[in-house]
Amino acid sequence: MKHLLPRLATTLALLAFALPALAQQPMLARIEAHPALWTVHGKAGTAYLLGSIHLLPVNVAWHTPQIDAAMAASDVFVFEIPMDAPSQAGVTAYIAAHGTLPKGETLPALLPPAARKDYQAALARSHIPPQALDDKRPWLASIVLQVALMSQQNYSASGGIDHEVLAIANARGKALRHFETVDQQMALLAPPDQSLEVKEFALDLKSIRDQPSTVGAIVDAWASGDVRAIDRLMNSDLAKEPGAKKALLDDRNRNWVAQLDNWLDEPHTYFITVGAAHLAGPNGVPALLRAQGIKVDGP
């Protein structure tokens, strides 16, 4: 899960909606959350930064007075990628074009023996029939398994921060901006090198074994505003894979900071919602902004 979450980003929420509907969630007791919020002071503009968990139980209440006030003060809402109907259609089209193995290949046959055992265990835990994934590429099979397992723990895209913030922005008629396109994010999911894709899938299968405790710890850290714990839980595994960390977090964070730096020259107030992993640690967006001499209030 620690390996998978940064790679999926907002696309996970879009993919969750694109996949077949899972069982409806039961009524659950309300959970109060107090996620971290940063305030960025630019030359002419101001930005608020909120870290998102893209799939959450619907009973998590994260509307603190500070967050609600920041949204009320903002005239532009910013997300990683667009999440409208055309974007959803683009995700569905990408799955159709890039989610299936060539004819004659099967997913189990691609896996080394140790990963095959982990794969069978993941199928059993997720209650997904093997034939449903036999022809799927590893990147898509990983997402299907993860979404199914998270659904069993009452996590859903409809409970995720991104979609709720977007609904608020749309209801208030706010302007929308995005750091990336859907195509840019989808390209992160499917490495062109099949051996690398299989290796990443094997790592994802190993992380699935610890998924309940890992996901719970990540959500607890986010809900309590513990940015150091978020960095440790979500980004530490990527540090062991420098190439993946550079592509999935570091390069993207720098690109976002460059865009935000330009936007802060405009007289707008921005409410920015991106994956929590992108805001934590020494290479997170707040730290990079501070390194450029931009004032950032917050954790």
Side-chain angles (χ1 to χ4, degrees), residues 267-285:
H268 291 295
T269 300
Y270 305 91
F271 191 88
I272 299 173
T273 308
V274 296
H278 292 281
L279 303 182
N283 293 314
V285 170

Side-chain angles (χ1 to χ4, degrees), residues 14-53:
L14 282 175
L15 281 162
F17 281 114
L19 297 172
L22 299 167
Q24 187 173 0
Q25 295 185 345
M27 293 297 293
L28 300 168
R30 180 184 175 94
I31 298 174
E32 297 289 342
H34 302 276
L37 184 72
W38 291 260
T39 306
V40 183
H41 304 274
K43 295 177 183 176
T46 300
Y48 297 101
L49 303 176
L50 176 66
S52 172
I53 302 295

Side-chain angles (χ1 to χ4, degrees), residues 12-148:
L12 176 57
L14 282 175
L15 281 162
F17 281 114
L19 297 172
L22 299 167
Q24 187 173 0
Q25 295 185 345
M27 293 297 293
L28 300 168
R30 180 184 175 94
I31 298 174
E32 297 289 342
H34 302 276
L37 184 72
W38 291 260
T39 306
V40 183
H41 304 274
K43 295 177 183 176
T46 300
Y48 297 101
L49 303 176
L50 176 66
S52 172
I53 302 295
H54 303 298
L55 274 71
L56 275 178
V58 295
N59 61 317
V60 174
W62 52 268
H63 283 266
T64 65
Q66 293 80 9
I67 291 173
D68 283 346
M71 285 194 286
S74 299
D75 61 306
V76 180
F77 281 62
V78 182
F79 302 91
E80 293 182 28
I81 58 174
M83 292 179 287
D84 53 10
S87 299
Q88 182 63 72
V91 170
T92 303
Y94 189 93
I95 291 174
H98 302 284
T100 304
L101 291 167
K103 190 173 182 179
E105 288 189 14
T106 64
L107 179 58
L110 295 178
L111 304 177
R116 214 169 294 171
K117 288 180 64 176
D118 290 336
Y119 177 59
Q120 293 301 323
L123 287 173
R125 282 190 56 203
S126 64
H127 307 297
I128 293 176
Q131 60 270 25
L133 298 183
D134 274 351
D135 66 339
K136 301 298 186 289
R137 282 185 57 178
W139 73 264
L140 181 57
S142 184
I143 292 169
V144 173
L145 289 166
Q146 192 65 63
V147 170

